[in-house]
Amino acid sequence: GAGVSQSPRYKVAKRGQDVALRCDPISGHVSLFWYQQALGQGPEFLTYFQNEAQLDKSGLPSDRFFAERPEGSVSTLKIQRTQQEDSAVYLCASSADTNTEAFFGQGTRLTVV
Amino acid sequence: GDSVTQMEGPVTLSEEAFLTINCTYTATGYPSLFWYVQYPGEGLQLLLKATKADDKGSNKGFEATYRKETTSFHLEKGSVQVSDSAVYFCAPKGAGGTSYGKLTFGQGTILTVHP
């Protein structure tokens, strides 16, 4: 597609449920980032992939958060046993390489009830 | 790690007023600097960028100059429009080490422009 696509756009989960958020980056983009944006705040870095390799996961807030990009294209962010504090917009961004512009998807708004 | 201090909002202006949103940063190495904008109901979009000292990024009437000596990248526009109402984010982009080109965002500044 023309841009970064994320699905679903909205997700409501009951506390304790597992969720999976999908990101389709721009075709051919090597770098892929996940960010978490709480209400009224700026996006905060979660994790980074270069192709299929996860090179930095220092921003993942707990071991309930897991991300993968097995074939170096589509990426999935999984949150296990969701908690209310996980409610946020999860943004995915891709770029051709680390030196070029990052393009953002529309985000997935996760609400944990 | 990198950090950003952005002018607190919200900022409310009348149409055609002058806009300044201050941004200062701390970063290792020699980052590139970006302003992103988030219009209501839309995703983050790149507004402008500057990749080296004294560079001026510009787009849609907005400008920002990379000031290495003051570690600042203030956003300006001479005459704002109602359609500029949005949230603005300043973000340095890591230059090396473990930064991998990741962006560090400020908390965002909400701009509302009234007719």
Side-chain angles (χ1 to χ4, degrees):
Chain A
V4 178
S5 178
Q6 291 187 246
S7 60
R9 287 291 312 278
Y10 304 92
K11 176 69 179 178
V12 178
K14 291 185 179 178
R15 192 166 47 186
Q17 274 186 334
D18 297 349
V19 298
L21 312 180
R22 178 186 170 105
C23 172
D24 279 272
I26 293 172
S27 179
H29 276 194
V30 168
S31 298
L32 186 145
F33 300 84
W34 283 97
Y35 291 84
Q36 180 190 57
Q37 187 176 15
L39 189 64
Q41 302 296 315
E44 297 214 354
F45 170 79
L46 293 177
T47 187
Y48 165 70
F49 289 87
Q50 186 175 80
N51 294 307
E52 69 279 1
Q54 188 175 22
L55 298 186
D56 187 351
K57 52 183 181 179
S58 62
L60 295 177
S62 78
D63 60 7
R64 296 185 296 103
F65 286 71
F66 172 77
E68 60 183 5
R69 194 186 185 196
E71 297 177 358
S73 177
V74 171
S75 177
T76 304
L77 176 67
K78 297 179 179 178
I79 309 173
Q80 297 176 324
R81 303 181 305 280
T82 52
Q83 304 295 314
Q84 278 196 313
E85 62 263 28
D86 300 335
S87 296
V89 176
Y90 290 86
L91 298 170
C92 177
S94 72
S95 62
D97 55 52
T98 57
N99 295 317
T100 55
E101 175 189 346
F103 294 86
F104 283 80
Q106 296 274 68
T108 294
R109 181 179 296 278
L110 172 65
T111 304
V112 181
V113 297
Chain B
D2 297 359
S3 67
V4 179
T5 301
Q6 218 179 298
M7 175 176 166
E8 293 220 9
V11 174
T12 303
L13 296 173
S14 297
E15 207 164 26
E16 300 184 2
F18 183 84
L19 168 71
T20 300
I21 301 177
N22 290 336
C23 170
T24 57
Y25 66 92
T26 59
T28 54
Y30 199 149
S32 296
L33 301 176
F34 296 78
W35 276 98
Y36 278 81
V37 59
Q38 195 168 36
Y39 297 103
E42 298 186 17
L44 277 170
Q45 300 174 26
L46 176 64
L47 179 59
L48 55 83
K49 67 179 181 182
T51 58
K52 61 182 188 295
D54 300 325
D55 264 6
K56 179 185 283 187
S58 61
N59 186 28
K60 299 181 180 181
F62 290 89
E63 294 182 339
T65 301
Y66 192 142
R67 300 292 187 198
K68 195 170 191 296
E69 65 278 10
T70 55
T71 62
S72 65
F73 193 53
H74 305 321
L75 182 69
E76 295 182 338
K77 186 173 185 181
S79 177
V80 294
Q81 304 301 311
V82 172
S83 57
D84 294 327
S85 297
V87 185
Y88 293 81
F89 294 94
C90 179
K93 182 179 181 183
T98 58
S99 295
Y100 306 118
K102 74 183 180 190
L103 294 156
T104 299
F105 288 89
Q107 77 273 23
T109 301
I110 300 171
L111 171 66
T112 303
V113 181
H114 292 298

